[in-house]
Amino acid sequence: MSHPEEQGGSLAGQSRHPAFSRLLGDLRRNPLTLAGALIVAALALVAVVGPVVLTTDPTAQDLPNRLQPPSAAHPLGTDQLGRDVLTRLVYGARLSLGIALAVTAIRVVVGTTVGVVAGYAGGWVDEALMRLVDVQLAFPGLVLALVVAGILGPSLRNVMLALAVVGWATYARVVRATVLSVSEREYVDAARLFGTPPRRIARRHLLPAVLNPVLVLATLNLGTVVLATAGLSFIGLGAQPPTPEWGTMLAGGRDYLRSAWWLVNAPGLAIVLTVLGFNLLGDGLRDALDPHQQSRLEEV
Amino acid sequence: MDPLLSVENLHTRFRSPDGPIHAVDGASFTVHEGEIVGLVGESASGKSVTARSIVGLESPGEVVEGSITFDGTDLTTASEATHRRLRASEISTVFQDPHGALNPSFTVGEQLSEAVALADAPERVSLPEFLGVPPFRRRRAWGEYREQAAHLLETVGISDAADRLESYPHQLSGGQRQRVVLAMALASNPRLLLADEPTTALDTTTQAQLLEQIRGLRDEFGTAVVLITHDLGVVAETCDRVVVLYGGRVMETGPTQEVLADPAHPYTRGLLECLLGGLSRKARPPTIGGVVPTRIDPDPGCPFASRCAHATEECRTVDPPTVGLDAERRVACSELEAVQGAPLRPDSSSLEHTGGTAGGSDGQVSHGHDGDGSGGGDRALAFSADPLVELEGVSKTFEMRGSILEQLRGTDRSIRALEDVSLSVWPGETVGIVGESGSGKSTLARVLTGLCEPTAGTVRLGGDPVGTVGERTADQVTEVGVVFQHPRASINPRQTVAQALAEPMCERGWDPDRRDRRVDELLDLVDLSSEHRSRYPHQLSGGQLQRVAIARALALEPRLLVLDEPVSALDASIRAKVLSLLLDLQERLGLAYVLVSHDLEVVSHVADRLLVVYAGQVMERGPVETVVDRPSHPYTQALFEAIPALDGDGRARGLAGEPPSLADPPGGCAFHPRCPHATEECVRTEPPAVRVGDARSRCHVAEEVAAAARDDADGDETVGPASTTPP
Amino acid sequence: MSGRFGSYILYRLATALVVLAGVSVLTFGLIYLTPGDPAETILIQQTDQHPSQAQIDAFRAEHGLDEPIPIQYLEWLSSALRGDLGQSYYSGRDVAALIVQHVPATLELAAASMLVALAIALPTGVLSAVHRGERLDAASQLAALVGVSMPNFWLGYLLIIVFSLHLSLLPVAGSGGLSHLLLPAVALGTGMAAIVTRLVRTSMLEVLDATYVEVARSKGLSERVVIYKHALRNALLPVVTVVGLQFGFVLNGAVVVEIVFQRPGLGMLLVDAVFARDYPVVQGVVLVGAVAFVVTNVLVDLSYRYLDPRIRLGGVPS
């Protein structure tokens, strides 16, 4: 070859997918991201394995042993009906994570579809979809979710529905913006020039570009959904007693702030840890995938 | 006399995950009062970091060794306060990027006044005063600062200075902004001006003016200037002495004329050789192999050894000594004798790239000198066939979508990017399209390729009218390949080289085996090897990527390549390599090119015919020899005159004024506000395209202009870049 | 102010009207989410027994529920436009009056929490960016993340436990006076502070990398002037937007915080109405909230554009 000396131009010897190698490097370098990943992994483990190990019924009342402070038998004490707080927390983890995953999945699918269609179709389709997004975003999210869940009737299923309904618009906006900016790249022009039809351009160039921001947004969103679910349950619209849900547990501790501090603080801490885990991970992903994207946490 | 600035064995390093980067690695040079010193080198040679180290703005880098002495003060050990005082009153800096250099939130007047205030009373001014909090800002003093600011604007050639003080940066053109930055640098009447690629982002016509101003500054005030540039033409035009940097070290230094006339270091020689000036048309410039390596924890030895034809084992292991050739010239090379024995620009290197067709088997044989435009054999072939592509009366107007209200009132603006442009391209020929930024040349390329729909007129491919690319048949799409300016933007960062190359073939439904074979063929065609197949774009250099982009454009064997500024983003040595490749490919494959560029030197080297575009109109067109030797439009003439030449020494002339607003183009001839020959008639009526020899020119006084150019050429043989002789 | 900016205002108002029309449809349509017949559901809830058909018909006639839905909507909308949001199903009180009565408590809370948020966020964000990568930066970033992750109802309880129950410094709940405002404002403001801190930091980092900041330094300006004049002004532009949006979102947090601290604001009014299926009140509060939000949005957008000379004055297209 006549240009063997140009090897100097490439820093990395072997080829790896660029985002992936950066991601690994970033995970190695950033202890906070690693902490986030560990928290999330531990939570997932608790949610899956916990209820198998802790076979006590989280709803079984034991009135003689009510409001016991933390002890060997009850590491996090018991509540006003004598139920073991740790057991309830563990079962609650399964609920919270399950709901967060389900809600986020619906939001991702609906929002991404709307965003890609709007960004790619343009014209009146774009205009109409974006006004719809505007209308949805015009309502403070939690308020709308609260009203929808309230009118549908208090239950976890309705909370999930309500949260899914109010959260897709953010994805639609982000995805549309990404699609628009990628469509202007020269490599998309190049693809058009060798006759690639729009559908294939969308699949080959736009969707992969959209995946990164959606992944970041979804990770951060898992945290906000956990917060919102707990909030709605706290108000009384979500899980109904005796379901072991973190928000409901917190609400139940309201009357015992002075005498049984663990009742509000155990679920409170669980929520913070969970949300923090998702936020740390999401931040790390964002920095690794796109250092320039603005750090902005989305509201519910 | 002691030098004003003396840099001694300077080492500046940056931390990186892979180890410290030795950005500046032992550079030494001096600058005397009233002297313009050029720091030259390719990108990443350490030029900018050197300048930043001088003013103490090298952060996040760090000066780890060496000394910088300014007027007796060692700056490497000076306190931050000392640095600040010097920046305020003695050393000014002009950065490259005119778009980002001014704060978008403050008026030009405010930003200039700040600089004046600092020069006036560097110790007294406080934060509240700068924030303009009423009781703290001395109103009378700031009034005076503003007057001085206006005066500064006039000094740098901004006419309506008082009005411009009220402007925000975004309301100015790039050239005006760079003048404001220069004015800001002059506020303190500095003794040393560091100008970091001050004209790189500007059109050549504006560049020539700005360089003239920098020279004037030195003449008038005796300001010392360090001019950082990658462009040897700019050095030749402007600098008294030149310092050639590579790998953060000084390779060679000496008086400009001597160094350029008789370069001693292989790197300097390489830089000079790969320039187009002095080569006959279509000759392949020799190139420097390889790219500037990233200097992470470098081994001892000459940094250039890996790219040097004369390198010995010793060069790779031992730092070369710096040898004084005479009182002023020094060279860091241990193989000087061998280097000086070799002829500059050896013929062999241009021969190496040719071959294939008979048309240009020797780089020295040019394609058609003088004559009626059908000189070369290629051209005869060209006119015998039907045109590949034709544009007929094409216009393009962009609607600036205003608000609904504006649309209703009909007051939303439209921008005229192209007006009534016709063009035919025959097989095998190269049509060059030149113009300043915003002239509409890129829109022309986009209309031709079908990325953009013309507002009026017809595009024909092989005789058939065609629409945008989505409406063209597979065969029509196959006819045209496109190469864009920025290789990094034109290849999806998530695709490997093989995937990117195979993409067009997938669209044609080729089976994997056939795609594989073609990918290998293509890589071979552009001098890459099959080991590049699995690389991602971030693992390739800019030059390699541009070759991948060219290969992809060739994937379906088009007959026409549209090249939109294909070499503008590349370093000189890489540029030469890509141009040679393009010339070779054309010969081997019989391709036709439409080459769009702002760089007249590149276009006139490669093209057979030229179109000069201004404000969306074709001002002049004709065979390249005619247009180069006898330009018949004042704009074409201005473009040629603005090119800095190696033997120029201040000969390049600028063009006053700014390109017109395309939303509101001037009446009559679009060029009249800037034209030295403009008459009453030019203001009133738009000139028709008139025939001057075998060129056509849209000018009322075309004949006179061409005649004057002819006289000029007779008196002085060096008109235009193609005839500037190298030393 | 150029004509372009003037006509942008008109354009922005026009799209806001479109959105508001959508908002009104959605708000009105909310009650049809009720499983089954709204009238029947409401009557069951009110009387705790199955109503007769006659009772249902009477209820429908009284509240205009017997007309075709589009007519109902138009009547509801035209009343709403005149400031008449109907009567509560329970107390029979005028909904508009109810809302007016509850607004001050929420507004106070919103303003106070915003103050808390800005007081924390601006200095922290700026310092964090200026000391990028140092210990201070890492600490404030982590603190901000914890702040973002904190459910404000739990934070409210923590504050009550510490300041009301153990230290007995401030009242547990209720409204009236600064002492009642302090804890809720902190509970609500902390989360916002965290969000704004992160934004100020990012925005500031971006600006500190700009060439004009380097140019300002190369002029010889002191670091303080460079940061507080040249960088901050530009860094705050995007912050204005987000702070404005946060103000619109205050109702979100207010719902929960008002319950924790038993503050009689819009949030409590809404939650009580939701549980009681008092639809006119629900619709009223949601409509007012959404309208307030859309209006703040428009104002924020316009002020952002006004503050940025690039947009206010237009310019040569580059």
Side-chain angles (χ1 to χ4, degrees):
Chain A
M1 277 292 104
S2 51
H3 303 280
E5 64 285 0
E6 270 203 26
Q7 306 312 330
S10 62
L11 289 175
Q14 80 277 70
S15 59
R16 249 202 233 138
H17 198 276
F20 185 64
S21 63
R22 247 184 304 152
L23 190 63
L24 282 186
D26 196 78
L27 277 177
R28 255 204 328 269
R29 247 171 298 199
N30 192 341
L32 285 183
T33 312
L34 199 61
L38 287 179
I39 293 177
V40 170
L43 267 170
L45 192 72
V46 166
V48 174
V49 179
V52 181
V53 178
L54 292 174
T55 45
T56 338
D57 180 359
T59 59
Q61 304 185 4
D62 180 14
L63 289 175
N65 279 323
R66 64 196 294 267
L67 298 178
Q68 293 291 312
S71 64
H74 302 287
L76 291 176
T78 63
D79 68 3
Q80 64 277 20
L81 296 173
R83 297 170 296 201
D84 181 51
V85 173
L86 180 65
T87 310
R88 289 175 64 74
L89 272 190
V90 168
Y91 278 82
R94 178 177 275 191
L95 264 185
S96 289
L97 290 189
I99 292 173
L101 278 176
V103 169
T104 308
I106 300 175
R107 287 179 175 185
V108 166
V109 171
V110 176
T112 308
T113 312
V114 171
V116 168
V117 169
Y120 206 74
W124 67 268
V125 176
D126 181 27
E127 193 73 20
L129 286 175
M130 282 306 109
R131 290 295 87 76
L132 192 65
V133 166
D134 283 349
V135 171
Q136 207 262 275
L137 289 176
F139 292 93
L142 193 69
V143 168
L144 188 60
L146 169 116
V147 171
V148 170
I151 293 177
L152 287 174
S155 83
L156 265 182
R157 190 187 60 113
N158 290 343
V159 161
M160 280 170 57
L161 262 178
L163 286 176
V165 165
V166 304
W168 58 272
T170 317
Y171 289 89
R173 265 202 187 161
V174 169
V175 167
R176 173 178 174 271
T178 313
V179 167
L180 286 184
S181 88
V182 173
S183 313
E184 283 175 8
R185 302 271 161 86
E186 283 180 351
Y187 62 79
V188 173
D189 275 349
R192 289 169 61 199
L193 284 170
F194 35 75
T196 316
R199 197 176 293 265
R200 211 147 35 213
I201 289 186
R203 210 180 52 216
R204 195 175 293 152
H205 296 292
L206 302 185
L207 272 184
V210 157
L211 277 182
N212 285 352
V214 166
L215 181 67
V216 171
L217 195 55
T219 312
L220 296 171
N221 229 220
L222 285 170
T224 39
V225 174
V226 169
L227 268 184
T229 314
L232 290 176
S233 294
F234 172 79
I235 292 169
L237 285 170
Q240 297 301 306
T243 315
E245 203 281 341
W246 294 345
T248 321
M249 290 168 69
L250 236 156
R254 187 185 322 209
D255 298 331
Y256 310 95
L257 286 185
R258 193 190 292 269
S259 53
W261 51 267
W262 57 92
L263 284 190
V264 292
N265 290 336
L269 211 57
I271 297 172
V272 170
L273 259 184
T274 310
V275 182
L276 186 64
F278 285 125
N279 281 341
L280 286 170
L281 189 61
D283 268 15
L285 278 178
R286 185 198 50 224
D287 292 346
L289 296 175
D290 181 3
H292 296 295
Q293 196 177 323
Q294 297 228 330
S295 101
R296 185 179 302 174
L297 289 183
E298 307 296 334
E299 284 286 302
V300 179
Chain B
M1 192 177 72
D2 277 347
L4 179 66
L5 173 78
S6 157
V7 174
E8 207 59 60
N9 191 27
L10 181 69
H11 291 258
T12 306
R13 283 178 203 165
F14 288 83
R15 251 182 273 249
S16 88
D18 305 311
I21 297 174
H22 295 228
V24 184
D25 197 27
S28 305
F29 61 93
T30 57
V31 181
H32 287 88
E33 247 165 280
E35 189 180 37
I36 304 185
V37 174
L39 285 188
V40 248
E42 293 171 285
S43 41
S45 58
K47 319 179 289 269
S48 290
V49 182
T50 305
R52 273 155 217 262
S53 302
I54 294 170
V55 278
L57 291 175
E58 73 276 12
S59 168
E62 209 183 338
V63 175
V64 292
E65 205 186 319
S67 69
I68 301 169
T69 315
F70 176 81
D71 196 21
T73 316
D74 185 0
L75 299 184
T76 51
T77 54
S79 67
E80 178 52 33
T82 311
H83 268 295
R84 215 162 45 229
R85 188 182 54 72
L86 285 174
R87 294 201 290 264
S89 54
E90 313 249 344
I91 307 178
S92 293
T93 317
V94 173
F95 294 103
Q96 171 177 358
D97 168 25
H99 294 279
L102 294 170
N103 192 325
S105 291
F106 298 101
T107 60
V108 164
E110 175 69 21
Q111 297 185 56
L112 271 169
S113 303
E114 271 184 350
V116 179
L118 279 169
D120 178 58
E123 306 305 330
R124 273 180 58 200
V125 277
S126 60
L127 177 60
E129 169 141 22
F130 274 110
L131 288 175
V133 185
F136 295 100
R137 182 167 271 197
R138 295 161 294 134
R139 285 187 57 190
R140 174 178 296 175
W142 281 80
E144 282 166 18
Y145 296 157
R146 237 180 143 72
E147 275 169 35
Q148 284 186 47
H151 181 69
L152 282 168
L153 282 186
E154 282 163 17
T155 317
V156 296
I158 289 184
S159 46
D160 43 354
D163 289 343
R164 279 301 163 217
L165 285 183
E166 305 303 324
S167 299
Y168 284 91
H170 72 274
Q171 296 170 310
L172 308 180
S173 71
Q176 285 173 321
R177 276 184 241 193
Q178 199 63 313
R179 278 165 217 263
V180 172
V181 175
L182 185 61
M184 222 147 72
L186 300 186
S188 59
N189 200 2
R191 296 171 67 194
L192 176 65
L193 177 69
L194 299 171
D196 187 353
E197 302 267 13
T199 58
T200 305
L202 306 176
D203 281 316
T204 38
T205 50
T206 318
Q207 158 170 296
Q209 278 190 304
L210 215 77
L211 292 178
E212 222 170 278
Q213 252 146 20
I214 290 178
R215 282 194 302 265
L217 197 70
R218 185 267 311 269
D219 296 344
E220 197 172 336
F221 304 107
T223 315
V225 181
V226 174
L227 182 70
I228 295 167
T229 178
H230 66 282
D231 186 337
L232 284 174
V234 167
V235 171
E237 290 276 349
T238 322
C239 300
D240 305 314
R241 270 194 315 123
V242 58
V243 177
V244 182
L245 278 180
Y246 186 84
R249 296 189 198 172
V250 176
M251 297 287 109
E252 175 164 11
T253 172
T256 307
Q257 293 309 329
E258 287 178 39
V259 172
L260 296 188
D262 178 26
H265 196 281
Y267 181 58
T268 321
R269 294 167 70 103
L271 283 181
L272 276 166
E273 280 173 351
C274 62
L275 296 181
L276 301 176
L279 285 180
S280 46
R281 233 154 257 155
K282 301 215 183 200
R284 316 311 193 246
T287 62
I288 311 172
V291 290
V292 182
T294 313
R295 309 260 302 153
I296 295 172
D297 248 336
D299 295 323
C302 176
F304 188 60
S306 64
R307 303 171 70 186
C308 181
H310 304 282
T312 61
E313 200 44 43
E314 192 192 337
C315 297
R316 295 192 187 90
T317 46
V318 183
D319 283 348
T322 298
V323 188
L325 292 183
D326 56 42
E328 290 191 273
R329 291 196 60 185
R330 281 179 299 145
V331 185
C333 181
S334 44
E335 293 294 320
L336 272 183
E337 281 168 30
V339 174
Q340 269 163 343
L344 191 59
R345 193 171 265 167
D347 283 345
S348 58
S349 59
S350 41
L351 278 171
E352 179 192 324
H353 287 276
T354 51
T357 56
S361 60
D362 185 342
Q364 301 304 320
V365 173
S366 71
H367 289 221
H369 256 307
D370 296 326
D372 54 11
S374 56
D378 290 6
R379 192 75 56 76
L381 172 79
F383 287 115
S384 67
D386 288 328
L388 281 176
V389 60
E390 292 162 281
L391 300 188
E392 198 180 301
V394 164
S395 299
K396 175 70 190 176
T397 310
F398 289 104
E399 299 297 331
M400 295 281 285
R401 234 191 87 191
S403 67
I404 295 168
L405 199 78
E406 282 174 319
Q407 286 172 30
L408 286 177
R409 286 200 309 225
T411 50
D412 52 337
R413 300 182 300 173
S414 59
I415 288 193
R416 182 189 86 182
L418 283 180
E419 195 181 77
D420 192 19
V421 173
S422 297
L423 162 70
S424 304
V425 184
W426 276 272
E429 73 164 342
T430 300
V431 175
I433 298 172
V434 267
E436 291 174 289
S437 52
S439 59
K441 56 188 190 305
S442 285
T443 309
L444 184 56
R446 290 178 72 82
V447 168
L448 202 157
T449 52
L451 282 175
C452 162
E453 194 177 5
T455 329
T458 321
V459 182
R460 286 201 192 85
L461 272 180
D464 304 321
V466 289
T468 55
V469 67
E471 299 155 7
R472 297 182 182 180
T473 65
D475 285 345
Q476 286 168 338
V477 165
T478 308
E479 285 282 272
V480 185
V482 183
V483 177
F484 296 96
Q485 173 173 9
H486 298 288
R488 259 175 227 293
S490 66
I491 295 173
N492 190 336
R494 292 181 190 79
Q495 285 182 328
T496 62
V497 167
Q499 283 168 345
L501 289 179
E503 212 185 324
M505 307 169 205
C506 295
E507 293 315 322
R508 294 291 165 276
W510 292 18
D511 62 67
D513 277 352
R514 187 173 172 203
R515 293 201 302 252
D516 251 23
R517 280 198 309 276
R518 182 66 180 152
V519 167
D520 280 333
E521 269 172 42
L522 288 170
L523 285 173
D524 191 48
L525 207 53
V526 297
D527 287 342
L528 293 169
S529 67
S530 55
E531 68 178 290
H532 291 102
R533 290 179 64 111
S534 54
R535 300 278 175 85
Y536 284 95
H538 74 280
Q539 296 169 319
L540 299 176
S541 69
Q544 287 173 323
L545 264 187
Q546 193 62 305
R547 283 189 265 154
V548 173
I550 293 171
R552 184 180 58 184
L554 293 173
L556 300 176
E557 304 187 341
R559 291 204 288 162
L560 171 70
L561 271 200
V562 176
L563 308 157
D564 189 359
E565 302 269 11
V567 294
S568 302
L570 305 175
D571 265 322
S573 63
I574 314 286
R575 187 176 76 169
K577 196 179 294 179
V578 172
L579 282 180
S580 299
L581 174 68
L582 286 172
L583 287 165
D584 287 343
L585 288 172
Q586 183 166 44
E587 276 182 13
R588 258 203 272 177
L589 307 173
L591 294 166
Y593 288 157
V594 170
L595 173 64
V596 175
S597 176
H598 71 282
D599 190 335
L600 196 47
E601 213 172 346
V602 167
V603 176
S604 51
H605 184 75
V606 178
D608 301 304
R609 288 194 292 136
L610 273 185
L611 262 69
V612 181
V613 190
Y614 185 79
Q617 295 176 316
V618 177
M619 286 305 182
E620 180 171 2
R621 66 166 80 213
V624 69
E625 306 83 14
T626 314
V627 178
V628 169
D629 295 340
R630 212 162 67 97
S632 57
H633 196 285
Y635 179 59
T636 318
Q637 229 172 20
L639 284 182
F640 277 116
E641 282 170 358
I643 299 176
L646 279 188
D647 56 354
D649 195 20
R651 236 167 26 99
R653 254 177 292 161
L655 180 57
E658 302 287 335
S661 154
L662 296 178
D664 182 23
C669 172
F671 187 58
H672 83 256
R674 302 171 75 187
C675 182
H677 306 282
T679 62
E680 268 302 301
E681 198 189 1
C682 302
V683 181
R684 269 199 325 273
T685 53
E686 197 172 322
V690 294
R691 189 166 276 284
V692 184
D694 52 3
R696 272 190 298 167
S697 170
R698 205 185 272 265
C699 178
H700 287 303
V701 290
E703 285 290 352
E704 291 91 317
V705 171
R710 165 103 320 192
D711 293 346
D712 238 25
D714 289 344
D716 174 1
E717 289 201 356
T718 54
V719 164
S723 43
T724 51
T725 38
Chain C
M1 194 189 301
S2 78
R4 286 193 77 71
F5 186 60
S7 50
Y8 178 78
I9 296 181
L10 288 176
Y11 169 75
R12 194 67 184 80
L13 290 179
T15 49
L17 276 181
V18 173
V19 170
L20 282 177
V23 162
S24 72
V25 171
L26 200 60
T27 309
F28 173 79
L30 278 176
I31 73 168
Y32 289 96
L33 288 175
T34 315
D37 177 61
E40 193 179 340
T41 317
I42 293 162
L43 282 172
I44 293 176
Q45 183 142 0
Q46 277 184 2
T47 57
D48 241 350
Q49 51 187 314
H50 252 282
S52 65
Q53 192 58 42
Q55 280 173 306
I56 294 176
D57 290 343
F59 184 87
R60 284 193 181 145
E62 186 189 342
H63 297 286
L65 297 176
D66 49 354
E67 297 186 61
I69 291 178
I71 303 289
Q72 285 184 41
Y73 167 69
L74 286 179
E75 281 178 359
W76 175 79
L77 183 63
S78 70
S79 319
L81 285 176
R82 279 177 276 118
D84 174 10
L85 293 169
Q87 280 79 43
S88 159
Y89 287 163
Y90 292 90
S91 59
R93 288 190 56 192
D94 187 49
V95 173
L98 267 177
I99 290 176
V100 168
Q101 183 194 336
H102 286 80
V103 156
T106 303
L107 263 189
E108 271 174 24
L109 177 60
S113 58
M114 194 56 86
L115 270 181
V116 170
L118 288 180
I120 299 174
L122 286 183
T124 319
V126 170
L127 282 179
S128 199
V130 170
H131 297 275
R132 154 173 27 182
E134 294 171 28
R135 226 166 261 254
L136 177 75
D137 180 28
S140 81
Q141 266 189 282
L142 187 62
L145 256 185
V146 173
V148 177
S149 312
M150 184 83 100
N152 42 26
F153 42 95
W154 182 46
L155 181 59
Y157 281 153
L158 282 180
L159 291 172
I160 291 177
I161 292 175
V162 174
F163 290 96
S164 306
L165 300 180
H166 284 280
L167 300 176
S168 303
L169 288 176
L170 294 162
V172 173
S175 72
L178 199 60
S179 61
H180 284 93
L181 190 56
L182 204 56
L183 290 188
V186 172
L188 188 50
T190 306
M192 277 191 267
I195 293 174
V196 179
T197 303
R198 285 158 62 85
L199 181 76
V200 171
R201 177 178 178 274
T202 323
S203 174
M204 195 73 185
L205 281 182
E206 206 162 285
V207 170
L208 284 176
D209 274 343
T211 314
Y212 59 79
V213 166
E214 182 132 55
V215 168
R217 283 200 190 105
S218 78
K219 276 197 243 181
L221 288 170
S222 71
E223 201 56 24
R224 267 158 54 95
V225 178
V226 170
I227 288 169
Y228 292 102
K229 181 173 181 180
H230 285 271
L232 195 59
R233 170 76 182 262
N234 291 290
L236 284 186
L237 278 176
V239 176
V240 169
T241 316
V242 169
V243 168
L245 292 183
Q246 287 298 312
F247 201 78
F249 275 123
V250 132
L251 200 54
N252 269 341
V255 172
V256 177
V257 171
E258 282 175 8
I259 288 177
V260 170
F261 291 94
Q262 299 291 305
R263 272 179 78 81
L266 281 181
M268 262 188 99
L269 180 67
L270 178 67
V271 170
D272 288 347
V274 164
F275 275 110
R277 296 191 179 275
D278 195 348
Y279 291 149
V281 178
V282 173
Q283 285 175 327
V285 176
V286 169
L287 187 66
V288 167
V291 168
F293 187 51
V294 171
V295 171
T296 2
N297 250 337
V298 172
L299 290 179
V300 164
D301 193 22
L302 292 182
S303 59
Y304 171 76
R305 280 161 184 272
Y306 185 74
L307 288 176
D308 188 342
R310 280 167 294 188
I311 302 174
R312 174 170 25 120
L313 299 173
V316 273
S318 49

